[in-house]
Amino acid sequence: MSKPRTTNGLSQLKEDLKTGALGRLYLLYGEEDYLKAYYLKQIRAALVQEEFAEFNFIQLEGKGMTLEALTEAVDSYPAFAERKLIVVRDFDLYKPPAAFQPGLSDLLGDLPDYVCLVFSYDLLPFKADKRTKMHALLGKTACFAECTHPDERQLTEWLQRQARALGKGIDKDTCAYLIFLCGNSMTNLSTELAKAAAHATLHEIQRYSIDAVCTPVLDAVVFDLTDAITDRRFDRAIAVTGELLAMKNTETQIFSAISRHIQRLYAAKLSETYRGGGKELFALIGSNSSFYAQKLTKAARGVSLEWLRAAVDLCGQTDAALKSSAADKQKIIELALLQMASTI
């Protein structure tokens, strides 16, 4: 039986990699695909000599996998090495096919010392069910390594390391701007940073390079859209909506982002009006980005609390109309934007 793992699974995995004492069973999941791929690569590098990978590295797809195939992978001894790595992708441990009962629990509860078994979740969301016997078993034997998006400080430090590897520098404020514009996915940020570095003619990456070649995420574009509304530039707001639709965003996705942004503006206005602190604002807007919070607060100062209350109410009505009406959804959105702009 494997030793119990700590509750902070990702920290435990890092420690196991650092000490070279990898366990027998890991669950690798979470929203940050970059980190999942990174740690899977680190586990493989620690356990598998590439010249013997044919014998000591086995990858199974959860869809269509049989208990027999998994058992055979576990039971076969490593060749020219002390241990072997088995990676199973997107297999629902909590709702396995009937053919896996009860053999799966027996197998996971008594993994041999020479095995490191990793269940990795990419396409299939990982959802732990604490009511099950399987969870009780995994709680004793597995390391739950959840890979979440790092906070702004961690992302900034990582972006600066990535920039140095590309032969460029980037300051903290520019990192904050890149994160705002391109989101907090490390996979996406890595690509966008490389584009900005390639465009930069100087040693330091500047905002103009980011603006020239980087692709903004939906929330960043919607920020500009709502700025156009509060500036009474209805034609610009409509043009941005059309651009978003051309980028294959659905009407529902676009208006959900608009509603979310209006709600965050309302939260920023309330926080400033009633002298809330930074922690309260971060909690209200669901973000720990000081850059984003400052930008929201500045934008909220340009509109009244009464306008924001009416806009939030209108967003609710429009959302219901989008979900229940067979009318032209783009026209429904444009009408809502016009009503917002006309009452500033």
Side-chain angles (χ1 to χ4, degrees):
M1 185 76 71
S2 299
K3 64 181 180 179
R5 317 301 280 155
T6 63
T7 55
N8 190 339
L10 190 59
S11 294
Q12 180 66 59
L13 174 55
K14 291 178 183 178
E15 182 65 20
D16 292 349
L17 285 165
K18 181 179 179 180
T19 61
L22 284 163
R24 303 178 197 174
L25 182 58
Y26 293 89
L27 310 182
L28 197 58
Y29 61 99
E31 60 192 352
E32 185 48 78
D33 293 338
Y34 183 96
L35 288 178
K36 287 184 289 185
Y38 171 81
Y39 285 114
L40 198 54
K41 184 177 180 180
Q42 292 297 304
I43 294 171
R44 176 167 177 165
L47 293 177
V48 181
Q49 291 180 288
E50 289 306 313
E51 58 265 39
F52 303 121
E54 180 181 354
F55 307 102
N56 299 329
F57 175 66
I58 299 173
Q59 183 167 282
L60 301 170
E61 296 297 328
K63 186 176 181 180
M65 182 181 72
T66 63
L67 179 60
E68 291 72 21
L70 181 58
T71 302
E72 182 180 346
V74 169
D75 287 346
S76 61
Y77 285 95
F80 310 106
E82 293 183 0
R83 304 193 69 191
K84 65 187 294 186
L85 173 62
I86 304 168
V87 176
V88 178
R89 293 190 177 274
D90 296 315
F91 179 81
D92 193 339
L93 282 166
Y94 290 89
K95 294 180 181 178
F100 279 81
Q101 301 295 350
L104 181 61
S105 295
D106 295 338
L107 183 69
L108 298 181
D110 193 24
L111 289 170
D113 291 336
Y114 59 78
V115 163
C116 179
L117 175 57
V118 179
F119 286 88
S120 179
Y121 295 86
D122 299 310
L123 301 177
L124 180 72
F126 176 78
K127 296 179 180 179
D129 187 346
K130 297 181 179 180
R131 302 167 300 175
T132 62
K133 292 181 180 179
M134 176 59 72
H135 189 76
L137 171 65
L138 294 174
K140 297 176 182 177
T141 60
C143 173
F144 289 72
E146 182 179 10
C147 297
T148 58
H149 295 310
D151 61 29
E152 186 177 24
R153 178 188 61 79
Q154 293 169 321
L155 279 176
T156 296
E157 293 173 353
W158 173 77
L159 283 169
Q160 290 179 318
R161 292 195 301 270
Q162 294 289 306
R164 287 195 294 270
L166 294 168
K168 300 290 183 180
I170 183 169
D171 63 34
K172 292 181 179 180
D173 288 343
T174 308
C175 285
Y177 178 68
L178 181 63
I179 294 166
F180 162 73
L181 191 73
C182 299
N184 60 357
S185 163
M186 295 173 75
T187 302
N188 190 55
L189 282 171
S190 179
T191 300
E192 299 301 327
L193 180 69
K195 288 160 60 177
H199 182 271
T201 55
L202 302 175
H203 173 70
E204 197 81 6
I205 297 172
Q206 304 288 343
R207 283 196 187 189
Y208 68 82
S209 289
I210 293 172
D211 289 334
V213 297
C214 294
T215 304
V217 294
L218 178 59
D219 280 347
V221 179
V222 165
F223 209 119
D224 288 340
L225 188 155
T226 52
D227 277 351
I229 293 171
T230 55
D231 290 340
R232 298 182 177 87
R233 292 183 291 129
F234 177 66
D235 55 340
R236 175 57 185 159
I238 295 302
V240 173
T241 302
E243 292 167 8
L244 289 172
L245 287 169
M247 294 165 63
K248 306 302 182 184
N249 295 290
T250 68
E251 291 89 351
T252 301
Q253 287 173 326
I254 293 169
F255 200 77
S256 291
I258 293 171
S259 297
R260 185 166 60 247
H261 184 64
I262 293 294
Q263 290 166 3
R264 288 171 176 172
L265 280 174
Y266 185 41
K269 190 71 173 182
L270 286 173
S271 179
E272 186 171 51
T273 301
Y274 297 105
R275 302 182 183 278
K279 289 183 179 180
E280 289 79 6
L281 179 56
F282 289 153
L284 285 169
I285 66 176
S287 171
N288 289 321
S289 169
S290 56
F291 180 91
Y292 183 53
Q294 290 168 10
K295 193 172 176 66
L296 266 179
T297 301
K298 183 179 179 181
R301 288 173 185 155
V303 290
S304 69
L305 196 57
E306 292 72 22
W307 182 86
L308 283 165
R309 286 190 181 120
V312 168
D313 184 58
L314 178 59
C315 283
Q317 297 173 31
T318 304
D319 181 66
L322 285 170
K323 293 175 179 176
S324 62
S325 175
D328 187 327
K329 288 182 169 52
Q330 184 174 350
K331 295 300 182 184
I332 292 175
I333 293 175
E334 291 175 354
L335 179 60
L337 299 182
L338 178 58
Q339 287 181 260
M340 290 182 196
S342 65
T343 55
I344 287 290

